[in-house]
Amino acid sequence: MASDVVTAVNITKRYRRKATPAVDGVSFEIAEGETVGLLGPNGAGKTTLIKMICGVTAPSEGTIRVFGADPVREPVAAKTGIGAMHQTGPYDEMLSALDNLRIAARFRGLSWRAARPWALEVAEYLGLTEALPRLVFQLSGGQRQRLQLVRALLTLPKLLILDEPSAGLDVAGRHQVERFVRWLRDDFGVTVLWTSHHIDELERNSQRVLVIDQGRVLRFAHPRDLVREFGGAHLVVTVDDAVAGKVVAEWAETAGFTAMPGDTEVRIEGASARDVLAPLARHCTDRGVAIAGVSTVTDSLEQVFLRMTENGHLTDRTEEQVSAA
């Protein structure tokens, strides 16, 4: 039976000169081998939460345990199994990427001879082998980002914290990082806490997503459950031209729906084909325009997230669900 790697109980973090807490009464558990997405708008408290898990700062109230230990008071027990990739990190620009890895190993008290085989394997997996002899200032943004990941993984961690790991990467690079993280999870049982502005990454790779806003937990659930609870199905009507699209949009708004017309598509919010197709078809026939196709689409996690955090306030529905959770 999997045990909890991270346990937070009613943690709050207050900073001087700030009227509201950065993190406000947050509780959650992350199980061994689980990939958890951390999702929230800028200023929601994500970075502060990560700092408390890493032991960089202590909660003002509440308790947090990593591998059963307090990250601030018992740093060795809590931090030894953590690998953290942050958004930015200092490099010596005039040294090679390989020398920067050697220095990072020394700072962590690791023997480079012992760390080298695994570090080179990670670099090879991420396509960095040929870049290792080059000076850091010569590397592209994507190469520097992947070097950050190699540096976080000089040893195989039990808990890997990823803070925007795909920032600056192209689509191929993003998918390469995703495959790598899945390999760590599936083959080595690594627990992953992953924050990203590419919400589709979290939707594809997370068993659960912790959604926070204004320092509070809105929901902690599987992406599919979040879509089911907060999302909806919508109708997309394909038309031949903008004139037909305008006719479809006018009908939708008259019928009480919200329509978002494009050049050849009209999205009708909250509508189902069963309920609207017949009257819509009659309307279009009467106006002498044709419908080329109709499909039903479901909200993505990104659309659900925007709805949950709209205007920076909790909805009544979300507050009730958090209270009941």
Side-chain angles (χ1 to χ4, degrees), residues 33-302:
E34 185 177 26
T35 297
V36 169
L38 178 58
L39 188 55
N42 291 334
K46 302 188 299 296
T47 299
T48 299
L49 193 57
I50 289 173
K51 286 181 178 179
M52 287 191 285
I53 292 172
C54 292
V56 175
T57 187
S60 305
E61 299 172 13
T63 60
I64 188 164
R65 296 290 183 268
V66 180
F67 307 117
D70 185 315
V72 173
R73 297 180 180 179
E74 304 166 280
V76 174
K79 296 182 183 181
T80 301
I82 296 178
M85 177 188 175
H86 302 288
Q87 292 186 42
T88 58
Y91 291 115
D92 190 319
E93 300 279 342
M94 299 305 297
L95 291 179
S96 70
L98 190 62
D99 284 338
N100 272 271
L101 293 178
R102 290 193 181 104
I103 292 170
R106 179 66 64 88
F107 270 110
R108 292 176 60 177
L110 302 173
S111 160
W112 175 242
R113 179 177 294 181
R116 183 176 181 274
W118 172 249
L120 294 185
E121 182 176 353
V122 173
E124 182 178 9
Y125 195 106
L126 294 173
L128 269 181
T129 300
E130 293 183 2
L132 291 179
R134 295 169 58 190
L135 302 182
V136 168
F137 83 87
Q138 296 175 315
L139 302 183
S140 68
Q143 289 171 327
R144 293 164 71 104
Q145 188 74 356
R146 282 176 282 166
L147 183 60
Q148 283 272 73
L149 185 52
V150 178
R151 185 163 62 177
L153 286 159
L154 289 172
T155 60
L156 181 64
K158 296 178 182 178
L159 170 63
L160 176 60
I161 298 175
L162 299 174
D163 191 1
E164 301 291 343
S166 60
L169 298 180
D170 59 16
V171 174
R174 288 174 55 194
H175 284 279
Q176 184 181 48
V177 169
E178 289 183 47
R179 288 193 299 272
F180 177 70
V181 175
R182 287 196 295 268
W183 175 60
L184 292 176
R185 182 188 68 197
D186 296 342
D187 287 20
F188 300 99
V190 175
T191 305
V192 182
L193 177 62
W194 186 339
T195 179
S196 176
H197 283 102
H198 295 291
I199 299 177
D200 57 313
E201 290 178 350
L202 305 185
E203 187 168 18
R204 285 192 296 268
N205 296 287
S206 302
Q207 279 79 53
R208 290 189 293 168
V209 176
L210 181 64
V211 185
I212 65 173
D213 190 19
Q214 300 181 26
R216 299 171 62 190
V217 173
L218 303 190
R219 200 75 171 92
F220 192 17
H222 192 283
R224 183 174 56 249
D225 294 333
L226 291 174
V227 170
R228 185 183 302 118
E229 293 171 8
F230 296 95
H234 312 286
L235 204 64
V236 175
V237 181
T238 305
V239 292
D240 292 330
D241 52 40
V243 173
K246 184 176 180 181
V247 171
V248 171
E250 288 175 347
W251 175 88
E253 291 169 358
T254 301
F257 297 104
T258 299
M260 295 185 291
D263 291 337
T264 58
E265 286 186 348
V266 180
R267 179 185 173 102
I268 304 177
E269 300 284 347
S272 67
R274 182 183 62 184
D275 296 331
V276 308
L277 189 54
L280 174 59
R282 287 195 299 269
H283 177 80
C284 289
T285 299
D286 292 342
R287 297 298 180 91
V289 300
I291 295 175
V294 176
S295 60
T296 301
V297 297
T298 303
D299 281 336
S300 66
L301 180 62
E302 181 174 2

